[in-house]
Amino acid sequence: MISYIVRRLLILPIILIGVTLLVFSMIMMLGPYERLSTYIKDPAELKNVDVDVLVTKLGLNDPWYEQYGRWISGVARGDMGWSESAGSTVTQAFLSRFPATAELGLLALLPVVVGGVILGVFASVHHNDFWDHVSRVLAIIGWSVPTFVFGLIMLMIFYGTLGWFPPSRLDSWALDIVNSAGFINYTNFFIIDGLLNANFAIVGNAIRHLVAPVITISILWWAFIMRITRSSMLEILRRDYIRTARAKGVKENVVVYKHAVRNALIPVVTVAGRMVLGLLGGLVITETIFNIKGLGQFMAQAAQQLDYPAVLGGTLYFGFLLILINLCVDVSYAIIDPRIRLE
Amino acid sequence: MEWQEVVIRLFKNKISLIGLILIIFFGVIAIGAPWIAPPSDPSEPYMVPRAGWGFEPQPPSSEHIFGTAEGQYDIFYGIIWGTRTAFRIGFIIVGISSFIGILVGTLAGYYGGWFDEVVMRITDIFMAIPFLIAAIVMTTILGQGLRNVMIALITFGWMNSARLMRSQVLSIKEEEFVIAADALGAGDFRIIFKHVILNTIFPLVIEASMRMGSMVITASTLSFLGIGAPEGYADWGQMISFARNWILGGEGNAIKYWFTVVIPGGAITLFCLSWNLIGDAFRDILDPKLQ
Amino acid sequence: MSKEKLIDVNDLATYFHTEEGTVKAVDGVSFEIYPGETLGIVGESGCGKSVTSLSIMRLIESPPGKIENGEILFNGKDLTKLNQKQMRKIRGNDISMIFQEPMTSLNPVYTVGDQIMEAILIHKDVSKKEARQEAIDMLTKVGIPLPEQRVDEYPHQLSGGMRQRVMIAMSLSCDPQLLIADEPTTALDVTIQAQILELMNSLKRQFGMAIMMITHDLGVIAEVSDRVAVMYAGKVVEYADVKDLYGDPKHPYTWGLMYSIPHIEKDLERLEAIPGNVPNPLNFPEGCKFNTRCQFATDKCRVDEPELEEVEEGHYSACWHVDKLEEQKAKQGRG
């Protein structure tokens, strides 16, 4: 198990270097003057300076590998330049926006994985043509509705008409409390902070604001995970070792939940990995529509305002994040399947 | 299964039939656009005409049957000509990225060894950046516009077909007829082309069909975020981005401007649905155990 | 034989109701097994031998499968009348089963120890620690080296022969009265096959259970069985002592199987022993189901189906023309 994780970790630097190269080659598609902004830490530096001198000084006309070397050593120190659209360094901008995104992402991800698997197992055990067709059609339709269309309709109905689930992270009264001196921001996850401060009004308000974005970002994956679990279960239930378990006198629900589910989870983990990829993209749209000040909204705004340092830095951060998540996926494979753990 | 039988079953399968009918329907609209919604300026048919300079969207009327969006852009015109845009985006992106993917995957799978290793690590690197974010970045750098959106989506859209193709090639490479062809001295290229590609085409068609929908969604998402089609261009995502300021309605009626979202949103959904239905039916026919 | 029958199958019929029609996989099969003996059931694939064993275990997937008729008396109790809960007390405890594919019959995500212990913990009132010790003992008995170490290994770490030994250990862990072995050696190498058969024979003496050995391999049957039932198209066509059957087959099918082969190790699945194919189970011929491939077939055979009849003491055959077969055998001067 440990050697498996170590081996995975050893591949990480290769992928990471590759990602930085890819991002850097995108930077190099810009001209030297546009690239200048990625090297400026503070707009004050640009005052009373000849831009051409600065380009030469920063070596923006040097061969690409020299530039890459300088850039990567800056990135390694966490220096990704100044973000015009955030009015701070890229790193600061990302750190301050991370909790909102993590809160939304985790709340979207965990219920889907757990709930989708449970529903899928249920559907496979009681498999019945009617619900099969319903879940299938829902999955296909869900796959066809663009997230931004779904999100806008959610807003129209549940905020505009019914007033139940407002956008942004908190109502303004709640925001005042959170920003007041008496409220300690332990994590900046408002649900957790609310609980830690024993302020349940904050918890309730934060949840109310999260319902619509969480549904928007995760709805299609419910159907998807459920269908994968179901078909995987149906296949596993036909395997020889299931018959062996029954021949031992094992109870049917033990056959299903002990012998079948664990094996059926292996393809589900693969899909869950793909789902995380999709969720990261979905964050950009969902945060934009529901006005949640997280990484995704930041990326979208930075792109619209041609804030290159933020966009490139953001890509790298998302790349790191994705690699970490893939590592989690790999570790879950190893936990579930001894053949991978011991290979 | 022979391809003739696949086609026959595709026609018999109700789900795929709905998909086919929808695609034909959209195809007819795309081809007939100049007659269904005659452009006022034939040299620039993709620019949506404006019915005035007012800001507020206007509900459907006899003159504008789908109403007008923010800035008085005619929604009906945008939908009709947007169908052409959607087909063009979908076919170009899926066609080119599938071609790249097939090429890369075939070569990696067939030659194996260090070449395969290097190619697959490069694939991993491209997949280490979330697709939508990669597309946003690339488009930002290249500059706004549909052509650049397509370049970005192709750059980051070939990996799935490459992986799929590689695994197909790996599994089929071991089969006897390929080994036999190899032993008979058929040239490398002929082996790859004749046997491997013809035997692996169906999973790729399924994948491409499903990707048609998701690529059109992604392209419209970029337009919605304001970095895709230029303002006024007939593009479904663009039409919806006009709705952003009007989501909460007005005068006590939150769904007053529903048509600005629902009509173009419905168009995208139906378009993607048709491709997904066909892809799903295809998968069903080829691999019944996946149902 | 005045001994009490351990299992007495009477006129068993198991059908599968599929979209294309009803498959009469087992259609009126009767046999009995006495304590401590080995009954071999032999036949080509698709003859209903596996469905017979799964019917005894009541593991037929339903739908589409269903036991339509007959009784399975086990120690006088009719298994077809038991509910699933009562059946579970019997499975793995009184009757246990090993399967053809040792590679796929063990659950890949649990250790072999866990899988053996599971059976013990279900049927015996022992602690986990005792169950583990019993599992290790069983692994020793089936000849697995380093059992203390192997008990914590996963199936993929063992070879095919080792896995089949684990399956045997698992099936014998609760001292069953009857072991059903469904092609236990088919998937194994020839040398390993012999080892497994030898192991089964010695364990049979040690544990004193009866074995129902299902196979398509006449060589395996000769090696381990006391009596043999030959099945064809869902029916028993010949039923006799192993010596009588091999010495003097009384059904053209059995005779064809043996006559056409130089060695009795002949593998029916791979080499065609008899011209023609097993009939399509959706569309069995009228009359004797073997008539399409039988050199002695007459019009009678194409209309009336022969019943199993005692042609010599303890030797049953379902054929209208045993006499013609005898003539042919005499002509060729071999039995």
Side-chain angles (χ1 to χ4, degrees):
Chain A
M1 177 78 165
I2 288 169
S3 79
Y4 169 79
I5 295 173
V6 167
R7 260 179 293 140
R8 292 269 103 186
L9 284 172
L10 286 180
I11 304 178
L12 268 188
I14 301 175
I15 304 285
L16 272 179
I17 289 171
V19 171
T20 60
L21 270 173
L22 186 61
V23 171
F24 185 74
S25 58
M26 288 200 272
I27 299 183
M28 291 303 278
M29 287 159 72
L30 298 167
Y33 300 101
E34 290 161 303
R35 271 186 283 132
L36 189 58
S37 59
T38 54
Y39 292 87
I40 303 297
K41 287 190 200 71
D42 194 319
E45 285 176 41
L46 279 177
K47 277 180 191 146
N48 308 321
V49 178
D50 185 349
V51 181
D52 285 318
V53 174
L54 209 53
V55 165
T56 321
K57 190 180 142 205
L58 288 168
L60 293 179
N61 286 321
D62 290 351
W64 69 269
Y65 47 86
E66 283 180 24
Q67 295 192 44
Y68 176 73
R70 280 196 298 271
W71 179 73
I72 197 74
S73 65
V75 167
R77 278 180 271 114
D79 174 9
M80 297 192 182
W82 179 263
S83 163
E84 196 65 50
S85 63
S88 66
T89 68
V90 173
T91 308
Q92 278 169 348
F94 264 75
L95 290 179
S96 71
R97 283 165 173 79
F98 180 74
T101 298
E103 193 174 47
L104 175 58
L106 288 175
L107 277 174
L109 185 66
L110 298 179
V112 175
V113 173
V114 176
V117 166
I118 291 173
L119 284 179
V121 170
F122 185 82
S124 72
V125 174
H126 305 268
H127 85 264
N128 149 321
D129 284 348
F130 177 72
W131 288 107
D132 282 357
H133 285 299
V134 170
S135 76
R136 177 176 186 183
V137 169
L138 280 182
I140 300 176
I141 293 178
W143 201 240
S144 309
V145 182
T147 308
F148 64 96
V149 173
F150 188 85
L152 289 176
I153 292 174
M154 284 288 283
L155 264 185
M156 216 186 250
I157 296 172
F158 292 102
Y159 178 53
T161 309
L162 299 169
W164 292 353
F165 306 130
S168 84
R169 288 185 78 193
L170 285 176
D171 285 350
S172 54
W173 61 264
L175 213 53
D176 289 342
I177 296 177
V178 169
N179 290 332
S180 67
F183 190 93
I184 308 160
N185 292 307
Y186 298 97
T187 60
N188 279 317
F189 287 44
F190 291 148
I191 295 180
I192 297 175
D193 283 354
L195 287 172
L196 291 176
N197 284 284
N199 190 333
F200 298 104
I202 298 288
V203 178
N205 195 259
I207 291 176
R208 207 172 139 204
H209 282 259
L210 276 164
V211 172
V214 163
I215 291 176
T216 302
I217 203 169
S218 62
I219 183 105
L220 97 93
W221 296 102
W222 277 91
F224 212 63
I225 293 274
M226 178 183 157
R227 277 184 62 70
I228 292 288
T229 309
R230 182 183 157 277
S231 55
S232 167
M233 277 296 287
L234 286 178
E235 204 203 316
I236 296 288
L237 284 171
R238 281 198 289 258
R239 295 273 171 93
D240 289 346
Y241 51 79
I242 296 299
R243 192 179 55 185
T244 306
R246 289 193 178 124
K248 277 194 282 194
V250 176
K251 281 188 196 138
E252 194 54 31
N253 57 7
V254 179
V255 170
V256 170
Y257 290 101
K258 183 180 165 193
H259 287 270
V261 168
R262 193 158 154 196
N263 283 289
L265 279 179
I266 295 167
V268 176
V269 170
T270 312
V271 173
R274 273 178 55 201
M275 172 175 92
V276 172
L277 252 165
L279 279 185
L280 288 179
L283 282 170
V284 175
I285 305 158
T286 311
E287 288 181 358
T288 303
I289 290 173
F290 290 96
N291 189 26
I292 293 169
K293 292 199 166 35
L295 298 180
Q297 190 201 38
F298 178 53
M299 285 292 288
Q301 281 174 352
Q304 284 162 328
Q305 296 170 22
L306 305 183
D307 180 359
Y308 300 117
V311 169
L312 293 168
T315 314
L316 265 187
Y317 272 111
F318 271 107
F320 291 148
L321 209 59
L322 195 64
I323 289 170
L324 276 180
I325 290 162
N326 277 335
L327 193 67
C328 295
V329 169
D330 286 339
V331 170
S332 357
Y333 272 131
I335 292 171
I336 294 171
D337 191 346
R339 284 165 294 186
I340 290 173
R341 198 187 315 155
L342 301 167
E343 86 190 351
Chain B
M1 205 183 294
E2 289 297 309
W3 67 268
Q4 290 95 334
E5 201 188 334
V6 173
V7 172
I8 290 169
R9 290 212 198 175
L10 210 51
F11 275 100
K12 279 190 183 162
N13 183 311
K14 275 183 209 125
I15 288 181
S16 67
L17 204 61
I18 297 175
L20 273 178
I21 291 171
L22 276 173
I23 287 179
I24 292 170
F25 171 72
F26 278 113
V28 168
I29 289 180
I31 294 167
W35 296 277
I36 301 170
S40 50
D41 178 1
S43 66
E44 276 193 324
Y46 286 100
M47 295 316 289
V48 181
R50 302 178 75 163
W53 305 98
F55 196 53
E56 192 188 342
Q58 296 300 319
S61 61
S62 58
E63 206 172 327
H64 303 284
I65 58 169
F66 287 166
T68 59
E70 178 183 289
Q72 305 313 311
Y73 289 104
D74 181 31
I75 295 179
F76 178 76
Y77 190 93
I79 298 293
I80 298 298
W81 286 85
T83 312
R84 282 193 169 198
T85 312
F87 269 114
R88 197 175 68 218
I89 290 174
F91 280 136
I92 292 178
I93 296 175
V94 173
I96 299 181
S97 64
S98 296
F99 177 77
I100 298 173
I102 289 171
L103 200 67
V104 169
T106 309
L107 295 176
Y110 195 81
Y111 291 109
W114 65 267
F115 180 75
D116 178 39
E117 191 64 30
V118 169
V119 169
M120 284 299 112
R121 290 296 81 78
I122 291 175
T123 311
D124 283 348
I125 289 164
F126 272 83
M127 289 181 105
I129 303 176
F131 179 59
L132 185 65
I133 289 164
I136 290 174
V137 175
M138 189 90 183
T139 316
T140 314
I141 285 173
L142 295 173
Q144 193 191 31
L146 273 185
R147 206 173 74 102
N148 292 336
V149 166
M150 287 192 264
I151 294 175
L153 293 188
I154 290 167
T155 310
F156 288 92
W158 54 273
M159 294 86 75
N160 275 335
S161 8
R163 284 187 157 191
L164 183 67
M165 192 66 202
R166 174 177 170 272
S167 66
Q168 293 281 320
V169 170
L170 283 182
S171 69
I172 218 156
K173 203 165 81 168
E174 303 304 322
E175 281 182 29
E176 278 162 25
F177 59 88
V178 177
I179 294 171
D182 214 3
L184 287 173
D188 277 357
F189 187 74
R190 264 198 57 209
I191 297 176
I192 295 177
F193 219 81
K194 198 160 166 219
H195 295 291
V196 180
I197 290 196
L198 287 181
N199 279 284
T200 53
I201 201 75
F202 283 125
L204 283 160
V205 171
I206 297 172
E207 202 261 348
S209 178
M210 300 296 231
R211 211 142 43 85
M212 225 20 220
S214 69
M215 285 297 182
V216 169
I217 287 183
T218 310
S220 67
T221 303
L222 291 178
S223 290
F224 173 75
L225 292 174
I227 53 174
E231 190 178 328
Y233 194 86
D235 174 274
W236 293 338
Q238 162 89 207
M239 300 306 291
I240 298 174
S241 75
F242 288 140
R244 279 176 69 179
N245 293 322
W246 307 93
I247 284 306
L248 300 179
E251 297 156 24
N253 180 7
I255 52 172
K256 187 173 173 196
Y257 304 111
W258 62 272
F259 51 91
T260 58
V261 176
V262 172
I263 291 174
I268 301 181
T269 304
L270 281 179
F271 188 80
C272 297
L273 187 64
S274 61
W275 291 101
N276 289 341
L277 286 175
I278 288 195
D280 192 74
F282 234 127
R283 188 164 50 188
D284 223 27
I285 288 163
L286 293 171
D287 193 357
K289 75 172 196 279
L290 277 180
Q291 277 180 35
Chain C
M1 290 210 203
S2 57
K3 275 190 290 180
E4 206 50 39
K5 289 171 184 169
L6 177 63
I7 193 158
D8 188 0
V9 176
N10 281 316
D11 208 18
L12 176 71
T14 304
Y15 297 169
F16 289 87
H17 302 282
T18 67
E19 274 177 37
E20 290 93 35
T22 300
V23 174
K24 298 180 176 179
V26 173
D27 199 11
V29 162
S30 304
F31 58 82
E32 61 278 325
I33 303 174
Y34 293 92
E37 77 160 350
T38 300
L39 175 73
I41 295 191
V42 69
E44 289 164 283
S45 55
C47 71
K49 54 196 196 297
S50 290
V51 175
T52 306
S53 66
L54 291 172
S55 301
I56 294 174
M57 291 296 269
R58 293 274 310 280
L59 286 175
I60 296 289
E61 191 129 345
S62 169
K66 190 168 178 248
I67 297 178
E68 297 284 341
N69 189 28
E71 50 179 19
I72 301 167
L73 298 172
F74 180 72
N75 287 328
K77 219 181 331 176
D78 187 356
L79 298 184
T80 63
K81 302 255 177 348
L82 298 186
N83 62 28
Q84 283 297 327
K85 196 178 168 197
Q86 293 164 317
M87 224 24 240
R88 278 201 297 272
K89 290 219 175 79
I90 290 176
R91 284 183 204 136
N93 191 21
D94 298 319
I95 309 178
S96 59
M97 194 160 176
I98 55 179
F99 299 98
Q100 177 170 0
E101 287 287 344
M103 308 308 271
T104 56
S105 292
L106 289 166
N107 194 326
V109 300
Y110 295 104
T111 62
V112 298
D114 280 339
Q115 296 186 56
I116 299 174
M117 282 162 65
E118 188 176 30
I120 298 170
L121 287 168
I122 290 170
H123 299 294
K124 293 187 187 175
D125 188 19
V126 292
S127 71
K128 260 201 154 158
K129 215 174 147 194
E130 289 164 326
R132 185 183 156 85
Q133 191 51 51
E134 281 191 35
I136 294 173
D137 290 347
M138 282 312 300
L139 290 177
T140 317
K141 281 181 189 158
V142 298
I144 288 182
L146 302 172
E148 278 92 355
Q149 191 183 319
R150 291 294 189 191
V151 77
D152 292 321
E153 289 189 358
Y154 289 91
H156 73 274
Q157 294 169 290
L158 305 176
S159 68
M162 282 295 157
R163 286 189 220 183
Q164 199 57 297
R165 283 171 196 263
V166 169
M167 281 298 290
I168 293 172
M170 192 158 80
S171 60
L172 298 185
S173 59
C174 295
D175 251 322
Q177 293 167 275
L178 174 65
L179 172 67
I180 301 176
D182 188 354
E183 308 256 12
T185 59
T186 309
L188 302 173
D189 289 344
V190 181
T191 47
I192 311 284
Q193 278 189 15
Q195 289 173 14
I196 294 288
L197 288 178
E198 199 174 306
L199 174 70
M200 289 182 70
N201 268 337
S202 85
L203 289 171
K204 187 181 123 181
R205 283 191 294 276
Q206 200 179 334
F207 285 78
M209 77 276 184
I211 297 179
M212 179 172 153
M213 172 68 77
I214 296 167
T215 180
H216 63 269
D217 187 334
L218 290 168
V220 168
I221 292 283
E223 229 165 291
V224 299
S225 310
D226 299 313
R227 284 181 309 120
V228 184
V230 179
M231 283 186 74
Y232 187 79
K235 297 231 177 220
V236 174
V237 293
E238 187 167 2
Y239 185 42
D241 251 42
V242 68
K243 284 201 195 75
D244 295 343
L245 187 99
Y246 278 87
D248 190 14
K250 296 288 187 197
H251 192 281
Y253 177 60
T254 321
W255 177 72
L257 290 180
M258 285 188 281
Y259 173 75
S260 59
I261 46 178
H263 307 289
I264 51 172
E265 282 84 12
K266 176 118 176 187
D267 192 336
L268 299 189
E269 304 269 312
R270 266 155 256 169
L271 291 170
E272 213 160 288
I274 303 171
N277 291 318
V278 182
N280 179 354
L282 283 167
N283 191 16
F284 280 141
E286 288 279 301
C288 174
K289 291 181 177 118
F290 188 57
N291 72 46
T292 52
R293 297 166 77 188
C294 182
Q295 56 174 307
F296 309 111
T298 59
D299 288 346
K300 185 177 176 61
C301 301
R302 292 183 193 98
V303 180
D304 290 330
E305 188 161 18
E307 290 295 313
L308 209 55
E309 275 176 38
E310 193 161 16
V311 289
E312 272 174 20
E313 206 202 327
H315 197 148
Y316 298 80
S317 169
C319 180
W320 297 121
H321 301 300
V322 179
D323 47 335
K324 284 194 187 176
L325 174 63
E326 291 300 317
E327 276 170 38
Q328 182 71 21
K329 281 198 282 191
K331 224 185 279 175
Q332 295 187 343
R334 64 173 283 187

